[in-house]
């Protein structure tokens, strides 16, 4: 989608610290990390929010969680624990309107989130 930051990162037009990619998803380090490990996992397809996911995205969402688990292993946070977060729209603090999943680890997290 024209003008979308994460579409540009997925397409390579804007550089990011990419740690994983395949035909469906791209993962890269968050530019403003909130934990020692803070990766974003995005679908290559432009989907504005997780509320816009459709039946056709069922496989894609499963794939994203499998990739998250593999990256957690790879980055050494799987054993101690980690968090996967998807902020949906303004009240949750979504700032980039291309659906994405944060993979956070390497520190203790509080609950409930602020
Ligand atoms: P959210 O607030 O859930 O929409 O998350 C958007 C995330 O994207 C934030 O954590 C930002 O730090 C991150 N971000 C914004 N621009 C970039 C960029 N160019 N490269 C990597 N991460 C980015
Ligand atoms: Zn996009």
């Amino acid at each position: 989608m024209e003008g979308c930051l994460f579409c540009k990162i997925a397409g390579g037009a804007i550089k990011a610290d990419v740690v994983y990619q395949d035909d469906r998803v791209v993962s890269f380090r968050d530019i403003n990390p909130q934990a020692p490990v803070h990766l974003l996992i995005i679908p290559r397809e432009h989907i504005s929010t997780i509320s816009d996911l459709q039946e056709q995205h069922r496989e894609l969402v499963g794939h994203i969680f499998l990739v998250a688990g593999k990256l957690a292993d790879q980055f050494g946070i799987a054993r101690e624990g980690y968090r996967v977060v998807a902020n949906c729209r303004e009240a949750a603090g979504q700032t980039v309107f291309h659906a994405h999943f944060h993979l956070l680890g390497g520190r203790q997290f509080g609950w409930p989130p602020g």
Side-chain angles (χ1 to χ4, degrees), residues 18 27 33 80 96 98:
V18 174
S27 178
E80 66 186 7
V96 178
H98 177 128

Side-chain angles (χ1 to χ4, degrees), residues 24-25 43-65 98-99 101:
R24 286 174 282 176
V25 304
R44 287 190 180 278
E45 178 184 345
H46 180 86
I47 302 162
S48 298
T49 79
I50 60 165
S51 257
D52 297 300
L53 289 166
Q54 306 293 326
E55 184 61 35
Q56 75 215 46
H57 300 121
R58 183 179 289 271
E59 264 277 304
L60 172 65
V61 175
H63 181 60
I64 286 170
F65 274 86
H98 177 128
F101 295 78

Side-chain angles (χ1 to χ4, degrees), residues 8-99:
K8 286 181 184 158
I9 287 177
I14 289 181
K15 290 271 164 288
D17 189 353
V18 174
V19 298
Y20 175 83
Q21 57 182 316
D22 62 28
D23 57 329
R24 286 174 282 176
V25 304
V26 181
S27 178
F28 50 94
R29 289 185 196 273
D30 195 292
I31 205 168
N32 181 23
Q34 301 302 311
V37 177
H38 187 172
L39 306 178
L40 299 175
I41 304 169
I42 68 168
R44 287 190 180 278
E45 178 184 345
H46 180 86
I47 302 162
S48 298
T49 79
I50 60 165
S51 257
D52 297 300
L53 289 166
Q54 306 293 326
E55 184 61 35
Q56 75 215 46
H57 300 121
R58 183 179 289 271
E59 264 277 304
L60 172 65
V61 175
H63 181 60
I64 286 170
F65 274 86
L66 289 176
V67 167
K70 285 179 184 151
L71 287 170
D73 270 339
Q74 194 183 316
F75 281 80
I77 56 173
R79 267 177 69 95
E80 66 186 7
Y82 59 92
R83 192 169 278 180
V84 177
V85 176
N87 296 320
C88 184
R89 300 183 175 153
E90 286 82 359
Q94 185 175 3
T95 57
V96 178
F97 284 79
H98 177 128

